[in-house]
Amino acid sequence: MIRRDAPLTDQGLGWIRADGDESEIVLSTRVRAARNLQGYPFPIRATAEDRQLVLERVLAAAGESDALTDSDMWEIGSLGAADRTLLRERHLVSPELVGTEEAPPLAGAALVLSRSEPLGLMVNEEDHLRMQALASGFQLDRTWRRVDSLDEEIGLLVPYAFHHEFGFLTSCPTNVGTGLRASVLMHLPGLVLTKEISKVLQGISQVGLTYRGLYGEGSEVVGNFFQVSNQTTLGKSEEDLIDHLARIAGKVIEYEKSARSVLLREAPAVLEDKVWRAYGILRHARSLSAEEMVNLLSGVRLGVSLKLLQTPRVETLNEIMVLGQTSHLERAAGGRLEEAEADVCRASFVREGFAADAEGDHTGTPTDEMED
């Protein structure tokens, strides 16, 4: 059963558990598949009535799928700006789906999300349908299989726009073919500090991959997080694209491990200073911007992976990075926060999260921490 307009609590946060492969380097794996329904104008050309009809057809199909029988649905236009930003902070929606004050979300735009895992649908974004799955760590094949299974279930119930020569038809020509976008969000401070990152990024671009920042297309690289994804969607099968990305991402992970070993061997004092400075600031700061928090967490994450720090756990660092963002803090505070107020709340949340982890407790949510 799909529950409509459910309260937003902790849905979709399973990917921050740090229980996947290579979780000290790979924060998450994401796979998306773009589809359009046969017989309807694509969203950018569709009327509000067209998009609403698409939404109802997709919801009917999703309700019959095994993967989404127990899920929640939100019409994006009915959510407040803070809730829309909160979904983006959790990496569950794209900026295009949630819109902005100047360009509000399209009528009929919606998110369907399983209650048991970060698997769901974005409806009436750039395309009618974007199936997506998120997983902790490096789990490309498993994540792709979840999307592929959902794709087959939905496709049996609603016909997709498909061309026998070009494959699945999409609003943007760069997605035509498989409609597949897979990405691995990697933490690469070793390559940055050894100044090898440019060479690695140039190398991946030469083999048909690309990179983006923490929040995908159009976002800046913050905290040494690089989202590596496929660029090609036409002329290869989904399995080939997933396999290619997995092999190249695996090599980048090995390069990062090697770079970290070099730093430990050749510049241990510099490395330890960077790690402990970051830890000290986060442990004691009284005001932190969101960007400063992510950049400092990068240093601590590196220290934890190299055993220079015993705490906090990687899962705690993931939780703090996501739950310490402004919309989550505003939800905990019960209202809008001015920038300076948010920075104070953020610093308090980080301090309490570090302290709780050192005592063997869970970070929890901002609400939990602030009530304590």
Side-chain angles (χ1 to χ4, degrees):
M1 176 181 177
I2 297 180
R3 181 175 57 175
R4 295 189 181 224
D5 301 318
L8 271 172
T9 54
D10 61 351
Q11 292 100 328
L13 287 172
W15 62 272
I16 66 174
R17 292 176 186 151
D19 55 2
D21 295 341
E22 305 288 358
S23 60
E24 291 184 346
I25 292 177
V26 179
L27 179 62
S28 64
T29 300
R30 178 198 302 277
V31 176
R32 284 180 180 167
R35 302 287 185 261
N36 286 284
L37 274 59
Q38 196 178 99
Y40 293 89
F42 289 3
I44 196 169
R45 300 292 299 274
T47 64
E49 183 180 1
D50 291 329
R51 292 192 292 270
Q52 197 63 39
L53 288 171
V54 166
L55 175 58
E56 294 306 323
R57 286 204 67 182
V58 168
L59 290 178
E64 294 186 37
S65 73
D66 291 335
L68 295 176
T69 50
D70 188 26
S71 57
D72 294 320
M73 187 280 283
W74 300 272
E75 290 201 53
I76 302 300
S78 68
L79 295 175
D83 282 342
R84 296 201 300 269
T85 304
L86 182 140
L87 289 172
R88 188 185 174 201
E89 289 178 353
R90 294 182 183 180
H91 295 243
L92 299 175
V93 295
S94 64
E96 291 78 14
L97 187 75
V98 296
T100 62
E101 289 186 10
E102 296 76 22
L106 294 174
L111 172 68
V112 180
L113 186 66
S114 167
R115 288 176 214 152
S116 60
E117 61 178 317
L119 171 74
L121 312 168
M122 288 190 291
V123 187
N124 287 316
E125 189 227 32
E126 183 179 81
D127 295 294
H128 289 146
L129 184 57
R130 290 204 168 175
M131 288 158 280
Q132 62 176 1
L134 268 168
S136 170
F138 191 33
Q139 301 189 63
L140 262 172
D141 187 68
R142 178 182 178 276
T143 308
W144 154 241
R145 296 300 169 194
R146 298 296 295 132
V147 171
D148 186 42
S149 177
L150 179 59
D151 184 27
E152 288 186 3
E153 289 186 329
I154 301 295
L156 289 173
L157 299 168
V158 290
Y160 294 142
F162 186 85
H163 189 276
H164 73 280
E165 181 179 356
F166 300 118
F168 294 104
L169 302 179
T170 55
S171 294
C172 181
T174 59
N175 291 325
V176 168
T178 61
L180 178 74
R181 291 289 179 187
S183 63
V184 181
L185 182 57
M186 293 187 278
H187 183 229
L188 305 176
L191 290 169
V192 172
L193 291 170
T194 56
K195 304 188 185 304
E196 294 291 319
I197 190 66
S198 296
K199 186 189 301 182
V200 170
L201 296 178
Q202 184 179 6
I204 68 170
S205 68
Q206 292 173 348
V207 293
L209 302 181
T210 188
Y211 76 93
R212 299 180 172 91
L214 188 58
Y215 291 96
E217 190 169 0
S219 64
E220 295 182 0
V221 173
V222 180
N224 300 312
F225 282 100
F226 296 81
Q227 193 174 121
V228 177
S229 64
N230 66 297
Q231 209 166 14
T232 302
T233 61
L234 183 64
K236 293 185 178 180
S237 70
E238 290 94 337
E239 290 79 4
D240 288 341
L241 294 172
I242 292 295
D243 181 65
H244 180 61
L245 177 58
R247 285 189 290 106
I248 300 304
K251 289 181 180 179
V252 175
I253 291 169
E254 293 305 315
Y255 294 153
E256 172 64 20
K257 290 179 178 178
S258 177
R260 294 182 183 192
S261 296
V262 169
L263 288 169
L264 270 177
R265 184 175 64 251
E266 299 184 2
V270 173
L271 183 60
E272 289 182 17
D273 183 67
K274 178 179 178 63
V275 167
W276 282 102
R277 279 178 184 271
Y279 180 84
I281 293 172
L282 289 172
R283 192 69 181 82
H284 299 287
R286 262 47 187 175
S287 177
L288 287 168
S289 70
E291 183 172 343
E292 184 181 17
M293 176 189 72
V294 173
N295 283 325
L296 290 168
L297 286 171
S298 172
V300 173
R301 190 184 188 96
L302 177 60
V304 169
S305 73
L306 295 176
K307 313 303 182 199
L308 299 176
L309 297 171
Q310 298 304 310
T311 61
R313 296 166 300 131
V314 174
E315 180 181 3
T316 298
L317 296 173
N318 291 350
E319 290 175 349
I320 289 173
M321 190 170 76
V322 175
L323 303 179
Q325 295 173 93
T326 300
S327 287
H328 283 84
L329 296 173
E330 288 180 334
R331 166 161 294 209
R336 184 173 176 80
L337 296 171
E338 296 298 328
E339 185 176 346
E341 294 173 321
D343 291 349
V344 170
C345 288
R346 183 175 295 107
S348 176
F349 175 58
V350 173
R351 292 197 310 273
E352 291 166 357
F354 274 42
D357 192 275
E359 294 168 4
D361 199 0
H362 232 245
T363 303
T365 66
T367 305
D368 297 331
E369 295 303 323
M370 290 178 186
E371 287 177 350
D372 291 345

